[in-house]
Amino acid sequence: THQWRGIIEEYRDRLPVSDTTPVVTLREGGTPLVPAQVLSERTGCEVHLKVEGANPTGSFKDRGMTMAISKAKEEGAKAVICASTGNTSASAAAYAVRAGMVSAVLVPQGKIALGKMGQALVHGAKILQVDGNFDDCLTLARSLSENYPVALVNSVNPVRIEGQKTAAFEIVDMLGDAPDIHVLPVGNAGNITAYWKGYKEYAADGNSTRTPRMWGFQASGSAPIVRGEVVKDPSTIATAIRIGNPASWQYALAARDESGGAIDEVTDREILRAYRLLAAQEGVFVEPASAASVAGLLKAAEEGKVDPGQRIVCTVTGNGLKDPDWAVAGAPQPVTVPVDAATAAERLGLA
Ligand code: F0G
C-alpha cells in the first residue's frame, strides 16, 4: 500500500515549499537506476542509466514541473506558459490539468516529435507553432509572461531547477555516494545546472563524500557552449536539444568548471548509434536526444578519456515512445503471414 509520493513529498525539506503550498503531483521521480551491462563492458567501468523516461509524462521535465505548477498555484496563477522543444510542453500541459489551470505552449513549427505534440493536444494545451526555433519561442514566452497574466514555467524559473535537482539526490540515495562521473545531454542547460546543484547540496550536508565530474554533451549542429558562440540556425535530429542559445549557459560552464568536468559534442550519427545500442543491447528505449549522454560516454571511452573502474551514471532524459519515427526508420518491414503455424515458424526461423 506504499508508493513513491512524488519529489515534493519525498524531498520536502530540500525544496522551497511550505505547509501551505498546494502540491500538484503525478508522483514523478523515483525513477529506475538501471545497471548498463554492455556499456560497462565497453568502458571497463560500472555504468548506470538513470531512466527519466519512466516519469509520468515520459521525461525528466516532470520533476521541475511539479514544483513550477505547485508554486504557480500557490501564487494564484490561473494560466501558465512555456516555450518548448516538446517535453516541457507535454509536462506543463499535464500538470496544468492537475492544477485546474490553462496551459499555453509555444513550439518551433515542424520541429517537435509527434508524441510530444499529441501529449500537449490531449491534455488540452493551447498550442502555437512559432515560425522560428526554440530560442525564438523562449523570447516570446518571456515577453508574454512579463506583459500578460500568465506564469512562465520554463527552466529560467528557478523552482524548475529546484525540482530537477532531486534526480541527483535519488542517485546518491541509491548508490550510497555520488558517482565519479555524471553524463547528461545538454540543450537549454537547465538539467546539468540542476544536477550539479543537487550533488553539491547533498555533499555539503554530508549525504555524500564527494561530487561527480559533470560531463555534458550537445549535438554537433546545436553546440553553442562547445563553440563558445550562439548558433543562429541550430540543427540536429535530436529535436529536444535543438537549441542555439541556452538560457542556463553560464550555469552549465560553472557546473563543468567547478566539477572538473567537460562539455563536448556528439554527431547525429553518434547519437543514433547510441540510441540503437541502448534499445537493442540494454533494453532501454529512449528518445534520440537522451542518447547524447551515452554517445558522449562512448566517444570519450574511444578517445581513451575514461579510466576503467569508475562509477558512471548517464541520465537518459526521455522515453523512446515520444519520437518513434527513429525506431521505425530504416528497420525492415515486418512480414505478413496467414494464420498458419508452419508458415509462421518458417518465417521466424524456428523451423
Ligand atoms: N533531453 C530531453 C529529452 C529534453 O527534452 C531536453 C530539453 C534535454 C535533454 C536537455 O535538457 O534543456 O535542461 O539542457 N528539453 C526542453 C523542452 C528544451 O522544451 O522540452 P536541458
Side-chain angles (χ1 to χ4, degrees), residues 60-61 84-88 185-191 240-241 243 287 289 317:
F60 71 95
K61 304 290 180 177
S84 183
T85 56
N87 282 323
T88 299
V186 172
N188 213 23
N191 214 25
I241 53 172
I243 294 174
E287 64 168 288
T317 44

Side-chain angles (χ1 to χ4, degrees), residues 1-348:
T1 59
H2 292 289
Q3 73 160 322
W4 179 265
R5 295 167 295 170
I7 61 123
I8 293 180
E9 294 304 351
E10 296 292 338
Y11 294 107
R12 177 174 274 278
D13 56 335
R14 301 186 165 276
L15 294 169
V17 290
S18 72
D19 293 347
T20 54
T21 308
V23 177
V24 181
T25 181
L26 289 163
R27 311 278 176 136
E28 59 295 312
T31 54
L33 188 65
V34 178
Q37 209 172 318
V38 172
L39 293 174
S40 296
E41 277 164 20
R42 290 234 185 146
T43 56
C45 290
E46 180 194 314
V47 181
H48 301 261
L49 301 169
K50 183 65 170 162
V51 183
E52 289 291 277
N55 275 296
T57 78
S59 85
F60 71 95
K61 304 290 180 177
D62 295 343
R63 296 178 183 276
M65 206 53 71
T66 185
M67 279 298 299
I69 300 286
S70 296
K71 295 300 281 185
K73 193 169 175 72
E74 181 174 23
E75 284 152 24
K78 299 277 184 286
V80 295
I81 191 167
C82 66
S84 183
T85 56
N87 282 323
T88 299
S89 50
S91 186
Y95 282 81
V97 166
R98 299 291 297 188
M101 287 182 198
V102 173
S103 63
V105 306
L106 307 178
V107 299
Q109 206 234 323
K111 298 292 182 190
I112 93 161
L114 184 63
K116 304 174 188 180
M117 179 62 93
Q119 289 180 286
L121 286 165
V122 84
H123 290 306
K126 295 185 179 183
I127 306 172
L128 295 179
Q129 303 201 72
V130 177
D131 185 12
N133 58 35
F134 169 83
D135 308 291
D136 301 315
C137 293
L138 185 53
T139 304
L140 197 51
R142 279 181 153 156
S143 154
L144 290 167
S145 71
E146 280 158 20
N147 296 301
Y148 298 89
V150 62
L152 187 65
V153 295
N154 277 106
S155 58
V156 294
N157 177 338
V159 302
R160 277 273 315 273
I161 303 294
E162 292 297 314
Q164 286 173 212
K165 76 183 179 186
T166 59
F169 300 161
E170 288 176 21
I171 289 162
V172 174
D173 290 346
M174 206 60 76
L175 296 177
D177 205 343
D180 297 296
I181 303 173
H182 192 110
V183 195
L184 286 158
V186 172
N188 213 23
N191 214 25
I192 193 169
T193 301
Y195 272 84
W196 181 235
K197 187 166 197 286
Y199 279 125
K200 278 195 298 188
E201 287 182 10
Y202 243 31
D205 290 345
N207 289 321
S208 60
T209 66
R210 56 190 175 159
T211 53
R213 279 179 282 151
M214 302 298 296
W215 286 9
F217 289 92
Q218 302 196 288
S220 293
S222 307
I225 300 176
V226 179
R227 306 258 179 281
E229 61 185 22
V230 171
V231 175
K232 281 233 149 47
D233 192 11
S235 79
T236 169
I237 57 106
T239 51
I241 53 172
R242 184 175 167 273
I243 294 174
N245 188 11
S248 296
W249 190 323
Q250 295 310 320
Y251 297 116
L253 293 180
R256 178 195 68 186
D257 297 341
E258 291 170 23
S259 76
I263 296 182
D264 199 357
E265 62 186 283
V266 283
T267 64
D268 282 359
R269 191 179 293 270
E270 288 166 334
I271 289 172
L272 285 173
R273 201 172 51 134
Y275 166 84
R276 297 211 175 274
L277 182 151
L278 281 169
Q281 298 190 55
E282 298 287 4
V284 178
F285 185 27
V286 303
E287 64 168 288
S290 304
S293 57
V294 172
L297 174 63
L298 289 172
K299 179 183 160 179
E302 279 156 25
E303 289 171 349
K305 291 179 184 164
V306 183
D307 292 337
Q310 299 185 89
R311 191 178 247 184
I312 301 175
V313 175
C314 292
T315 297
V316 283
T317 44
N319 196 300
L321 295 170
K322 296 264 188 181
D323 192 3
D325 287 359
W326 288 102
V328 180
Q333 273 288 111
V335 295
T336 304
V337 295
V339 189
D340 175 63
T343 312
E346 190 236 315
R347 291 306 174 94
L348 291 170

